[in-house]
Amino acid sequence: MIIEGNTKISNLVTITVDNEQHAVPEGITVIQGMWHLGRSMLHGVGCLGGACGACAILTRRPGQPQPKTALACQTMVSEGLDIAFLSTDVSVKARALLPNETPSRDTLFQYYPETRRCVACGACSTACPQGIDVMAAVRETMMGELPAVAERFESCVMCGLCAAVCESKVRPHRVGLYARRLHGAFYPKAPTQLLNRIDEISAGRYQAEWDSALQMTGNG
Amino acid sequence: MSELEASKKRVNDSRAGRKGQDMPGLAPDVKEALVHRYHPDYKNEAYATIRVGPNKGERTVHEVVRLLEGISPFADESVSLKPTHEVDVLIVGGGGAGATAALTAKAAGVNVLMTTKLRLGDSNTVMAEGGMQVAVAPEDSPVRHFVDSLKGGQMANDRPLLKTLVEEGPSIAKWLIEIGVLFDREEDGNLSLRGGGGSSMPRLLRCKDYTGLELMRVLKDCVLNEEVNVLEFSPVLELLTDGQGTCTGAILKNLDTNQLIIVKAKTVILATGGIGRLHIQGFPTSNHYGATGDALSMSYRAGAVLTLQDTFQYHPTGSVFPEAMAGLLVTEAIRSAGAHLLNVNGERFVYELETRDAVASAVIRECLEGRGIETPSGRKGVWLDMPLVDLINGEGTLKNRFPNMVRQFSRYDIDIEKEPVLIYPTLHYQNGGVKIDVDGESTLKNLFVAGEASGGIHGRNRLMGNSLLDIIVYGKRAGEAASRRSSDIEAGALTLDHLSKFQAEQKSAGVVSKTVSPMLFPDYVNKN
């Protein structure tokens, strides 16, 4: 095995991929297991650090009645693990631009009207590999609580699993990102220090300091 | 009790006593000696002399020399150069620098094509945890940011590049806020600032420990909203030139269909990122799957000069246990918040907020001299004591400020609020790269390079938080300059003449290579 130059990997475990059983070394991730089996995984691999959402999978452990969603780069292989790879996010993104005026929940509904159809089944929250309470965020969207929605989606990796499992065709991750952008762009309080610094720089406030610093540090 | 467990117990037991303990910083000469003795950049046997091309006679690590001296995928193949696309600006790379360049060029009204090896957004940007340095605090200044970065870079930074970086920081931060990046804020609305290693002032803007993810989500959303033409799973395999030292386009390959795509472009911007997946000197890496230094070999044989191509950043705190997490980063911000580094005896051995080159060197020293801890799979590491962060700043600090770290380790049943973790330096960043001017243009005319693929800004050691700033500042500058240029010129002829020239040079230097570059992906897939 050619995984990052290492090491003393020993025992094998049996995993099931697409209904076929394979033996792979224990202690490695599902992605590394796929490489071990000779699969390149081009469309199912990205950052390898749990941040990009490219490697969504369904897994089921022995004795578990229902499969669970997960990220393949963040899941270790284990005896009897049953794995199915999911295609990457196919939900449609609305061309949701930032508005000129302070946003409200109607700003979101304009682009993602189906959000109102949420029946609060909770499937999205169960599906989220980041542990976001997605359904709570969708309910907050309906109440127009954009800052709360924004905060909930802070760790969202845009894998799209929440949209994939939604019976009502809601696209929670896309709503969440738009809510975050709206909240960021229309933040209720100005970053005064930053704006002052920009004014100082354009007014040439640092010229003397630059002259002496550049003289002292030379031209390397 | 195993040695590992016994050592961990020493760390847990000594924690309360270490709270508030002073650790002096290193004197400049001591730091220099430490780095020269233990930093991988100074390991002679890891280096070789480059025998051909613009940097002939200079040196870099074997892994990079092999790529620079490598052969083109089109070395022995005749290929039709009839263009399938004709554009003003071709942007290569779908990370933060590429996306920013694309948005800028699109806004300038020129015809833009963006292409990326994996998906739009798959990059190191998305994994950046620590933050973005901008001199915002009233008692801070861009000059101070400049001096800190210069000291951190061992004084090897390109002065005009660095000056531009720090001066444009504040307006770049404003632009990011305007497009909806949600940085952490204080009660009064000001940007919340934190400290980083080697910085004399708290200067890091961030979004908890998800700063890069936040930037990339927003930038990608903008690129899609602006309807930039993007080709995914289509890396560049070779640049095209007019044979007279001007870049005129590129050959791409659609990885799903294996078809070649010939792009005639008035200007090309390479934003293909770094080199972590080369596993230089056998190090694990914090980088994403596609970080294979593609810009280096392609621009090099087309005639672009490299700078500081011999220096790499080994981030001091890469995870080493469990094995599945090997190489993954533990953000430096954890040390800014007070986490200690401890050896097998439970002793601190370096001031944790020295620059990355010094801290990494100290960790390597401990492990080489028998004061490291061995993991079950045979890696060596030292302890990073994170529960101390909660002890210092109050319970819940790790959960609130570092939710990503807490979650990542919890996936492997490690509770960083209760126990220390094992770390060792991980290959993180190429400090140098393709030499550029303040407009991001390389020495090959009409070839621009932005972000980690370029070199000079960070000297021989980048400070935490300067990379997220670099990609946006120089992504924007390259996007602007390339757009301006493409409005002034006609497209040039498409040739591979630079390859025959390079091959002739290889032949006369006696260089026989079996390495095809660019590498595109690491060789992890079992072929048996």
PDB file of all heavy atoms in Angstrom, chain A residues 6 35 43 49 93 95 129-130 154 156 181 189 193 197 217-218, chain B residues 135 159 179 185 187 190 208 217 221 225 256 323 407-408 411 526:
ATOM      1  N   ASN A   6       3.893   5.244   4.948  1.00  0.00           N
ATOM      2  CA  ASN A   6       3.920   4.532   6.204  1.00  0.00           C
ATOM      3  C   ASN A   6       3.505   3.070   6.062  1.00  0.00           C
ATOM      4  O   ASN A   6       3.055   2.660   5.012  1.00  0.00           O
ATOM      5  CB  ASN A   6       3.006   5.274   7.159  1.00  0.00           C
ATOM      6  CG  ASN A   6       3.624   5.344   8.548  1.00  0.00           C
ATOM      7  OD1 ASN A   6       4.802   5.114   8.756  1.00  0.00           O
ATOM      8  ND2 ASN A   6       2.800   5.637   9.496  1.00  0.00           N
ATOM      9  N   TRP A  35      -8.267   3.501  -2.279  1.00  0.00           N
ATOM     10  CA  TRP A  35      -6.970   3.528  -2.980  1.00  0.00           C
ATOM     11  C   TRP A  35      -6.306   2.160  -2.901  1.00  0.00           C
ATOM     12  O   TRP A  35      -5.757   1.654  -3.872  1.00  0.00           O
ATOM     13  CB  TRP A  35      -6.049   4.592  -2.372  1.00  0.00           C
ATOM     14  CG  TRP A  35      -6.459   5.996  -2.659  1.00  0.00           C
ATOM     15  CD1 TRP A  35      -7.153   6.451  -3.742  1.00  0.00           C
ATOM     16  CD2 TRP A  35      -6.198   7.149  -1.838  1.00  0.00           C
ATOM     17  NE1 TRP A  35      -7.340   7.805  -3.640  1.00  0.00           N
ATOM     18  CE2 TRP A  35      -6.765   8.259  -2.500  1.00  0.00           C
ATOM     19  CE3 TRP A  35      -5.540   7.352  -0.631  1.00  0.00           C
ATOM     20  CZ2 TRP A  35      -6.691   9.560  -1.987  1.00  0.00           C
ATOM     21  CZ3 TRP A  35      -5.466   8.642  -0.116  1.00  0.00           C
ATOM     22  CH2 TRP A  35      -6.035   9.725  -0.789  1.00  0.00           C
ATOM     23  N   HIS A  43     -13.865  11.602  -8.509  1.00  0.00           N
ATOM     24  CA  HIS A  43     -15.008  12.458  -8.198  1.00  0.00           C
ATOM     25  C   HIS A  43     -15.437  12.384  -6.737  1.00  0.00           C
ATOM     26  O   HIS A  43     -16.398  13.018  -6.352  1.00  0.00           O
ATOM     27  CB  HIS A  43     -16.192  12.114  -9.110  1.00  0.00           C
ATOM     28  CG  HIS A  43     -16.030  12.666 -10.490  1.00  0.00           C
ATOM     29  ND1 HIS A  43     -16.611  13.849 -10.878  1.00  0.00           N
ATOM     30  CD2 HIS A  43     -15.334  12.229 -11.555  1.00  0.00           C
ATOM     31  CE1 HIS A  43     -16.290  14.099 -12.140  1.00  0.00           C
ATOM     32  NE2 HIS A  43     -15.514  13.134 -12.571  1.00  0.00           N
ATOM     33  N   GLY A  49      -9.426  16.438   4.361  1.00  0.00           N
ATOM     34  CA  GLY A  49      -9.385  16.972   5.720  1.00  0.00           C
ATOM     35  C   GLY A  49     -10.765  17.312   6.264  1.00  0.00           C
ATOM     36  O   GLY A  49     -10.883  18.077   7.208  1.00  0.00           O
ATOM     37  N   LYS A  93     -28.260  25.602  -7.625  1.00  0.00           N
ATOM     38  CA  LYS A  93     -28.014  26.836  -6.893  1.00  0.00           C
ATOM     39  C   LYS A  93     -28.756  27.986  -7.571  1.00  0.00           C
ATOM     40  O   LYS A  93     -28.666  28.146  -8.789  1.00  0.00           O
ATOM     41  CB  LYS A  93     -26.513  27.141  -6.909  1.00  0.00           C
ATOM     42  CG  LYS A  93     -26.122  28.325  -6.071  1.00  0.00           C
ATOM     43  CD  LYS A  93     -24.694  28.774  -6.352  1.00  0.00           C
ATOM     44  CE  LYS A  93     -24.650  30.198  -6.837  1.00  0.00           C
ATOM     45  NZ  LYS A  93     -25.267  31.164  -5.935  1.00  0.00           N
ATOM     46  N   ARG A  95     -29.295  31.837  -8.584  1.00  0.00           N
ATOM     47  CA  ARG A  95     -28.384  32.972  -8.782  1.00  0.00           C
ATOM     48  C   ARG A  95     -28.817  34.085  -7.831  1.00  0.00           C
ATOM     49  O   ARG A  95     -29.402  35.101  -8.229  1.00  0.00           O
ATOM     50  CB  ARG A  95     -28.426  33.425 -10.235  1.00  0.00           C
ATOM     51  CG  ARG A  95     -27.355  34.425 -10.558  1.00  0.00           C
ATOM     52  CD  ARG A  95     -27.152  34.627 -12.047  1.00  0.00           C
ATOM     53  NE  ARG A  95     -26.098  35.595 -12.267  1.00  0.00           N
ATOM     54  CZ  ARG A  95     -26.327  36.863 -12.651  1.00  0.00           C
ATOM     55  NH1 ARG A  95     -27.529  37.279 -12.907  1.00  0.00           N
ATOM     56  NH2 ARG A  95     -25.301  37.705 -12.795  1.00  0.00           N
ATOM     57  N   PRO A 129     -23.231  15.549   8.051  1.00  0.00           N
ATOM     58  CA  PRO A 129     -22.012  14.963   8.613  1.00  0.00           C
ATOM     59  C   PRO A 129     -21.292  15.915   9.569  1.00  0.00           C
ATOM     60  O   PRO A 129     -20.391  15.501  10.285  1.00  0.00           O
ATOM     61  CB  PRO A 129     -21.147  14.679   7.377  1.00  0.00           C
ATOM     62  CG  PRO A 129     -21.613  15.653   6.356  1.00  0.00           C
ATOM     63  CD  PRO A 129     -23.075  15.879   6.620  1.00  0.00           C
ATOM     64  N   GLN A 130     -21.696  17.177   9.563  1.00  0.00           N
ATOM     65  CA  GLN A 130     -21.079  18.154  10.456  1.00  0.00           C
ATOM     66  C   GLN A 130     -21.860  18.324  11.759  1.00  0.00           C
ATOM     67  O   GLN A 130     -21.508  19.160  12.588  1.00  0.00           O
ATOM     68  CB  GLN A 130     -20.967  19.516   9.746  1.00  0.00           C
ATOM     69  CG  GLN A 130     -20.029  19.524   8.549  1.00  0.00           C
ATOM     70  CD  GLN A 130     -18.579  19.336   8.945  1.00  0.00           C
ATOM     71  OE1 GLN A 130     -18.123  18.207   9.142  1.00  0.00           O
ATOM     72  NE2 GLN A 130     -17.830  20.421   9.091  1.00  0.00           N
ATOM     73  N   GLU A 154     -22.177  27.747  10.068  1.00  0.00           N
ATOM     74  CA  GLU A 154     -20.758  28.105  10.072  1.00  0.00           C
ATOM     75  C   GLU A 154     -19.853  26.959   9.604  1.00  0.00           C
ATOM     76  O   GLU A 154     -18.901  27.178   8.860  1.00  0.00           O
ATOM     77  CB  GLU A 154     -20.371  28.502  11.487  1.00  0.00           C
ATOM     78  CG  GLU A 154     -18.996  29.077  11.616  1.00  0.00           C
ATOM     79  CD  GLU A 154     -18.863  29.827  12.915  1.00  0.00           C
ATOM     80  OE1 GLU A 154     -19.092  29.199  13.972  1.00  0.00           O
ATOM     81  OE2 GLU A 154     -18.560  31.030  12.877  1.00  0.00           O
ATOM     82  N   CYS A 156     -20.638  24.389   7.681  1.00  0.00           N
ATOM     83  CA  CYS A 156     -21.191  23.656   6.529  1.00  0.00           C
ATOM     84  C   CYS A 156     -20.132  23.446   5.447  1.00  0.00           C
ATOM     85  O   CYS A 156     -19.464  24.389   5.028  1.00  0.00           O
ATOM     86  CB  CYS A 156     -22.370  24.444   5.963  1.00  0.00           C
ATOM     87  SG  CYS A 156     -23.053  23.731   4.454  1.00  0.00           S
ATOM     88  N   ARG A 181     -24.141  35.044   3.790  1.00  0.00           N
ATOM     89  CA  ARG A 181     -23.647  36.170   2.982  1.00  0.00           C
ATOM     90  C   ARG A 181     -24.462  37.433   3.269  1.00  0.00           C
ATOM     91  O   ARG A 181     -23.907  38.523   3.364  1.00  0.00           O
ATOM     92  CB  ARG A 181     -23.692  35.808   1.493  1.00  0.00           C
ATOM     93  CG  ARG A 181     -22.646  34.776   1.093  1.00  0.00           C
ATOM     94  CD  ARG A 181     -22.496  34.705  -0.417  1.00  0.00           C
ATOM     95  NE  ARG A 181     -22.103  35.991  -0.974  1.00  0.00           N
ATOM     96  CZ  ARG A 181     -22.208  36.335  -2.253  1.00  0.00           C
ATOM     97  NH1 ARG A 181     -22.728  35.472  -3.111  1.00  0.00           N
ATOM     98  NH2 ARG A 181     -21.812  37.511  -2.674  1.00  0.00           N
ATOM     99  N   LYS A 189     -23.461  46.374  12.567  1.00  0.00           N
ATOM    100  CA  LYS A 189     -22.516  47.378  13.080  1.00  0.00           C
ATOM    101  C   LYS A 189     -21.282  47.459  12.192  1.00  0.00           C
ATOM    102  O   LYS A 189     -20.759  46.432  11.768  1.00  0.00           O
ATOM    103  CB  LYS A 189     -22.100  47.041  14.509  1.00  0.00           C
ATOM    104  CG  LYS A 189     -23.218  47.227  15.513  1.00  0.00           C
ATOM    105  CD  LYS A 189     -22.758  46.785  16.887  1.00  0.00           C
ATOM    106  CE  LYS A 189     -23.876  46.993  17.906  1.00  0.00           C
ATOM    107  NZ  LYS A 189     -23.530  46.366  19.199  1.00  0.00           N
ATOM    108  N   GLN A 193     -12.728  50.375  13.079  1.00  0.00           N
ATOM    109  CA  GLN A 193     -11.260  50.419  13.053  1.00  0.00           C
ATOM    110  C   GLN A 193     -10.719  50.111  11.661  1.00  0.00           C
ATOM    111  O   GLN A 193      -9.772  50.744  11.197  1.00  0.00           O
ATOM    112  CB  GLN A 193     -10.681  49.411  14.056  1.00  0.00           C
ATOM    113  CG  GLN A 193     -10.978  49.773  15.498  1.00  0.00           C
ATOM    114  CD  GLN A 193     -10.517  48.701  16.478  1.00  0.00           C
ATOM    115  OE1 GLN A 193     -10.208  47.577  16.080  1.00  0.00           O
ATOM    116  NE2 GLN A 193     -10.468  49.049  17.755  1.00  0.00           N
ATOM    117  N   ARG A 197      -8.530  52.625   9.264  1.00  0.00           N
ATOM    118  CA  ARG A 197      -7.210  52.250   8.760  1.00  0.00           C
ATOM    119  C   ARG A 197      -7.116  52.474   7.254  1.00  0.00           C
ATOM    120  O   ARG A 197      -6.099  52.971   6.743  1.00  0.00           O
ATOM    121  CB  ARG A 197      -6.937  50.773   9.122  1.00  0.00           C
ATOM    122  CG  ARG A 197      -5.610  50.183   8.662  1.00  0.00           C
ATOM    123  CD  ARG A 197      -4.340  50.918   9.126  1.00  0.00           C
ATOM    124  NE  ARG A 197      -4.364  51.494  10.440  1.00  0.00           N
ATOM    125  CZ  ARG A 197      -4.120  50.853  11.575  1.00  0.00           C
ATOM    126  NH1 ARG A 197      -3.812  49.582  11.561  1.00  0.00           N
ATOM    127  NH2 ARG A 197      -4.159  51.467  12.737  1.00  0.00           N
ATOM    128  N   THR A 217      15.478  47.992   6.677  1.00  0.00           N
ATOM    129  CA  THR A 217      15.441  46.567   6.332  1.00  0.00           C
ATOM    130  C   THR A 217      16.130  46.263   5.014  1.00  0.00           C
ATOM    131  O   THR A 217      16.299  45.103   4.655  1.00  0.00           O
ATOM    132  CB  THR A 217      13.982  46.056   6.266  1.00  0.00           C
ATOM    133  OG1 THR A 217      13.269  46.844   5.306  1.00  0.00           O
ATOM    134  CG2 THR A 217      13.301  46.166   7.589  1.00  0.00           C
ATOM    135  N   GLY A 218      16.494  47.292   4.283  1.00  0.00           N
ATOM    136  CA  GLY A 218      17.236  47.087   3.040  1.00  0.00           C
ATOM    137  C   GLY A 218      16.385  46.434   1.971  1.00  0.00           C
ATOM    138  O   GLY A 218      15.174  46.275   2.134  1.00  0.00           O
TER     139      GLY A 218
ATOM    140  N   ALA B 135      -3.570  44.424   9.391  1.00  0.00           N
ATOM    141  CA  ALA B 135      -3.265  45.370  10.467  1.00  0.00           C
ATOM    142  C   ALA B 135      -4.462  46.296  10.659  1.00  0.00           C
ATOM    143  O   ALA B 135      -4.616  47.288   9.967  1.00  0.00           O
ATOM    144  CB  ALA B 135      -2.008  46.163  10.127  1.00  0.00           C
ATOM    145  N   ARG B 159      10.683  42.853  -1.052  1.00  0.00           N
ATOM    146  CA  ARG B 159      10.130  44.009  -0.328  1.00  0.00           C
ATOM    147  C   ARG B 159       8.898  44.626  -0.998  1.00  0.00           C
ATOM    148  O   ARG B 159       7.887  44.847  -0.356  1.00  0.00           O
ATOM    149  CB  ARG B 159      11.195  45.086  -0.105  1.00  0.00           C
ATOM    150  CG  ARG B 159      12.508  44.608   0.533  1.00  0.00           C
ATOM    151  CD  ARG B 159      12.292  43.978   1.906  1.00  0.00           C
ATOM    152  NE  ARG B 159      13.544  43.898   2.642  1.00  0.00           N
ATOM    153  CZ  ARG B 159      14.306  42.810   2.754  1.00  0.00           C
ATOM    154  NH1 ARG B 159      13.951  41.690   2.168  1.00  0.00           N
ATOM    155  NH2 ARG B 159      15.413  42.830   3.478  1.00  0.00           N
ATOM    156  N   ILE B 179     -18.751  41.344   0.123  1.00  0.00           N
ATOM    157  CA  ILE B 179     -19.363  40.234  -0.626  1.00  0.00           C
ATOM    158  C   ILE B 179     -19.945  39.177   0.325  1.00  0.00           C
ATOM    159  O   ILE B 179     -20.411  38.133  -0.110  1.00  0.00           O
ATOM    160  CB  ILE B 179     -18.380  39.573  -1.636  1.00  0.00           C
ATOM    161  CG1 ILE B 179     -17.163  38.968  -0.942  1.00  0.00           C
ATOM    162  CG2 ILE B 179     -17.958  40.583  -2.710  1.00  0.00           C
ATOM    163  CD1 ILE B 179     -16.295  38.124  -1.864  1.00  0.00           C
ATOM    164  N   ARG B 185     -16.738  39.039  14.938  1.00  0.00           N
ATOM    165  CA  ARG B 185     -16.803  40.460  15.276  1.00  0.00           C
ATOM    166  C   ARG B 185     -16.855  40.643  16.793  1.00  0.00           C
ATOM    167  O   ARG B 185     -17.254  39.749  17.536  1.00  0.00           O
ATOM    168  CB  ARG B 185     -18.063  41.079  14.644  1.00  0.00           C
ATOM    169  CG  ARG B 185     -18.193  40.856  13.141  1.00  0.00           C
ATOM    170  CD  ARG B 185     -17.218  41.694  12.341  1.00  0.00           C
ATOM    171  NE  ARG B 185     -17.713  43.023  12.130  1.00  0.00           N
ATOM    172  CZ  ARG B 185     -18.355  43.430  11.030  1.00  0.00           C
ATOM    173  NH1 ARG B 185     -18.577  42.575  10.040  1.00  0.00           N
ATOM    174  NH2 ARG B 185     -18.770  44.666  10.904  1.00  0.00           N
ATOM    175  N   GLU B 187     -18.379  42.998  20.085  1.00  0.00           N
ATOM    176  CA  GLU B 187     -19.682  43.591  20.418  1.00  0.00           C
ATOM    177  C   GLU B 187     -19.921  44.908  19.683  1.00  0.00           C
ATOM    178  O   GLU B 187     -21.022  45.199  19.234  1.00  0.00           O
ATOM    179  CB  GLU B 187     -19.757  43.864  21.933  1.00  0.00           C
ATOM    180  CG  GLU B 187     -20.024  42.630  22.774  1.00  0.00           C
ATOM    181  CD  GLU B 187     -21.442  42.110  22.577  1.00  0.00           C
ATOM    182  OE1 GLU B 187     -22.377  42.921  22.689  1.00  0.00           O
ATOM    183  OE2 GLU B 187     -21.601  40.907  22.282  1.00  0.00           O
ATOM    184  N   ASN B 190     -16.481  45.977  15.593  1.00  0.00           N
ATOM    185  CA  ASN B 190     -15.127  45.852  15.062  1.00  0.00           C
ATOM    186  C   ASN B 190     -14.760  44.388  14.832  1.00  0.00           C
ATOM    187  O   ASN B 190     -15.325  43.484  15.447  1.00  0.00           O
ATOM    188  CB  ASN B 190     -14.124  46.501  16.019  1.00  0.00           C
ATOM    189  CG  ASN B 190     -14.019  47.993  15.779  1.00  0.00           C
ATOM    190  OD1 ASN B 190     -13.856  48.422  14.631  1.00  0.00           O
ATOM    191  ND2 ASN B 190     -14.148  48.777  16.842  1.00  0.00           N
ATOM    192  N   LYS B 208     -13.996  31.660  13.387  1.00  0.00           N
ATOM    193  CA  LYS B 208     -13.650  30.532  14.262  1.00  0.00           C
ATOM    194  C   LYS B 208     -12.412  29.829  13.676  1.00  0.00           C
ATOM    195  O   LYS B 208     -11.453  30.506  13.299  1.00  0.00           O
ATOM    196  CB  LYS B 208     -14.826  29.552  14.390  1.00  0.00           C
ATOM    197  CG  LYS B 208     -16.088  30.209  14.920  1.00  0.00           C
ATOM    198  CD  LYS B 208     -16.261  29.973  16.410  1.00  0.00           C
ATOM    199  CE  LYS B 208     -17.435  30.743  16.991  1.00  0.00           C
ATOM    200  NZ  LYS B 208     -18.733  30.332  16.476  1.00  0.00           N
ATOM    201  N   ARG B 217     -16.295  29.280   0.413  1.00  0.00           N
ATOM    202  CA  ARG B 217     -17.742  29.155   0.166  1.00  0.00           C
ATOM    203  C   ARG B 217     -18.269  30.412  -0.509  1.00  0.00           C
ATOM    204  O   ARG B 217     -19.013  30.351  -1.486  1.00  0.00           O
ATOM    205  CB  ARG B 217     -18.486  29.001   1.506  1.00  0.00           C
ATOM    206  CG  ARG B 217     -18.623  27.597   2.015  1.00  0.00           C
ATOM    207  CD  ARG B 217     -19.581  27.530   3.212  1.00  0.00           C
ATOM    208  NE  ARG B 217     -19.263  28.463   4.279  1.00  0.00           N
ATOM    209  CZ  ARG B 217     -19.124  28.134   5.564  1.00  0.00           C
ATOM    210  NH1 ARG B 217     -19.298  26.891   5.956  1.00  0.00           N
ATOM    211  NH2 ARG B 217     -18.844  29.042   6.469  1.00  0.00           N
ATOM    212  N   ASP B 221     -19.418  30.901  -4.431  1.00  0.00           N
ATOM    213  CA  ASP B 221     -20.786  31.357  -4.669  1.00  0.00           C
ATOM    214  C   ASP B 221     -20.787  32.553  -5.633  1.00  0.00           C
ATOM    215  O   ASP B 221     -21.624  32.636  -6.534  1.00  0.00           O
ATOM    216  CB  ASP B 221     -21.424  31.745  -3.328  1.00  0.00           C
ATOM    217  CG  ASP B 221     -22.939  31.726  -3.386  1.00  0.00           C
ATOM    218  OD1 ASP B 221     -23.491  30.697  -3.809  1.00  0.00           O
ATOM    219  OD2 ASP B 221     -23.572  32.743  -3.029  1.00  0.00           O
ATOM    220  N   ASN B 225     -22.443  32.836  -9.258  1.00  0.00           N
ATOM    221  CA  ASN B 225     -23.411  33.915  -9.516  1.00  0.00           C
ATOM    222  C   ASN B 225     -23.019  34.744 -10.731  1.00  0.00           C
ATOM    223  O   ASN B 225     -23.870  35.178 -11.501  1.00  0.00           O
ATOM    224  CB  ASN B 225     -23.505  34.850  -8.310  1.00  0.00           C
ATOM    225  CG  ASN B 225     -24.470  34.324  -7.253  1.00  0.00           C
ATOM    226  OD1 ASN B 225     -25.230  33.394  -7.517  1.00  0.00           O
ATOM    227  ND2 ASN B 225     -24.432  34.903  -6.073  1.00  0.00           N
ATOM    228  N   ASP B 256     -12.398  13.194 -17.421  1.00  0.00           N
ATOM    229  CA  ASP B 256     -13.485  12.222 -17.582  1.00  0.00           C
ATOM    230  C   ASP B 256     -13.520  11.629 -18.980  1.00  0.00           C
ATOM    231  O   ASP B 256     -13.862  10.469 -19.162  1.00  0.00           O
ATOM    232  CB  ASP B 256     -14.826  12.873 -17.257  1.00  0.00           C
ATOM    233  CG  ASP B 256     -14.942  13.179 -15.773  1.00  0.00           C
ATOM    234  OD1 ASP B 256     -14.535  12.317 -14.966  1.00  0.00           O
ATOM    235  OD2 ASP B 256     -15.406  14.278 -15.415  1.00  0.00           O
ATOM    236  N   GLU B 323      -3.586   7.115  13.021  1.00  0.00           N
ATOM    237  CA  GLU B 323      -2.920   7.061  11.733  1.00  0.00           C
ATOM    238  C   GLU B 323      -3.768   7.711  10.630  1.00  0.00           C
ATOM    239  O   GLU B 323      -3.257   8.378   9.739  1.00  0.00           O
ATOM    240  CB  GLU B 323      -2.639   5.591  11.385  1.00  0.00           C
ATOM    241  CG  GLU B 323      -1.831   5.366  10.132  1.00  0.00           C
ATOM    242  CD  GLU B 323      -0.448   5.988  10.182  1.00  0.00           C
ATOM    243  OE1 GLU B 323       0.083   6.198  11.287  1.00  0.00           O
ATOM    244  OE2 GLU B 323       0.089   6.272   9.099  1.00  0.00           O
ATOM    245  N   ARG B 407     -14.420  18.647  16.656  1.00  0.00           N
ATOM    246  CA  ARG B 407     -15.163  17.660  15.875  1.00  0.00           C
ATOM    247  C   ARG B 407     -14.217  16.660  15.213  1.00  0.00           C
ATOM    248  O   ARG B 407     -14.429  15.451  15.261  1.00  0.00           O
ATOM    249  CB  ARG B 407     -16.019  18.332  14.811  1.00  0.00           C
ATOM    250  CG  ARG B 407     -16.683  17.297  13.886  1.00  0.00           C
ATOM    251  CD  ARG B 407     -17.654  17.866  12.871  1.00  0.00           C
ATOM    252  NE  ARG B 407     -18.673  18.673  13.486  1.00  0.00           N
ATOM    253  CZ  ARG B 407     -18.686  19.990  13.505  1.00  0.00           C
ATOM    254  NH1 ARG B 407     -17.730  20.661  12.916  1.00  0.00           N
ATOM    255  NH2 ARG B 407     -19.633  20.648  14.093  1.00  0.00           N
ATOM    256  N   GLN B 408     -13.139  17.175  14.582  1.00  0.00           N
ATOM    257  CA  GLN B 408     -12.252  16.267  13.854  1.00  0.00           C
ATOM    258  C   GLN B 408     -11.685  15.177  14.755  1.00  0.00           C
ATOM    259  O   GLN B 408     -11.649  14.012  14.375  1.00  0.00           O
ATOM    260  CB  GLN B 408     -11.111  17.062  13.215  1.00  0.00           C
ATOM    261  CG  GLN B 408     -11.615  17.938  12.075  1.00  0.00           C
ATOM    262  CD  GLN B 408     -10.630  18.019  10.943  1.00  0.00           C
ATOM    263  OE1 GLN B 408      -9.444  17.832  11.145  1.00  0.00           O
ATOM    264  NE2 GLN B 408     -11.112  18.300   9.751  1.00  0.00           N
ATOM    265  N   ARG B 411     -14.228  12.484  16.033  1.00  0.00           N
ATOM    266  CA  ARG B 411     -14.562  11.415  15.093  1.00  0.00           C
ATOM    267  C   ARG B 411     -13.732  10.166  15.355  1.00  0.00           C
ATOM    268  O   ARG B 411     -14.087   9.075  14.942  1.00  0.00           O
ATOM    269  CB  ARG B 411     -14.331  11.888  13.655  1.00  0.00           C
ATOM    270  CG  ARG B 411     -15.477  12.772  13.179  1.00  0.00           C
ATOM    271  CD  ARG B 411     -15.236  13.337  11.804  1.00  0.00           C
ATOM    272  NE  ARG B 411     -16.477  13.899  11.289  1.00  0.00           N
ATOM    273  CZ  ARG B 411     -16.569  15.015  10.576  1.00  0.00           C
ATOM    274  NH1 ARG B 411     -15.499  15.698  10.267  1.00  0.00           N
ATOM    275  NH2 ARG B 411     -17.728  15.451  10.155  1.00  0.00           N
ATOM    276  N   ASN B 526      -3.312   1.814  -5.473  1.00  0.00           N
ATOM    277  CA  ASN B 526      -2.683   0.509  -5.612  1.00  0.00           C
ATOM    278  C   ASN B 526      -2.872  -0.030  -7.032  1.00  0.00           C
ATOM    279  O   ASN B 526      -3.986  -0.095  -7.529  1.00  0.00           O
ATOM    280  CB  ASN B 526      -3.375  -0.432  -4.620  1.00  0.00           C
ATOM    281  CG  ASN B 526      -2.499  -1.586  -4.250  1.00  0.00           C
ATOM    282  OD1 ASN B 526      -1.615  -1.962  -5.010  1.00  0.00           O
ATOM    283  ND2 ASN B 526      -2.742  -2.151  -3.082  1.00  0.00           N
TER     284      ASN B 526
END
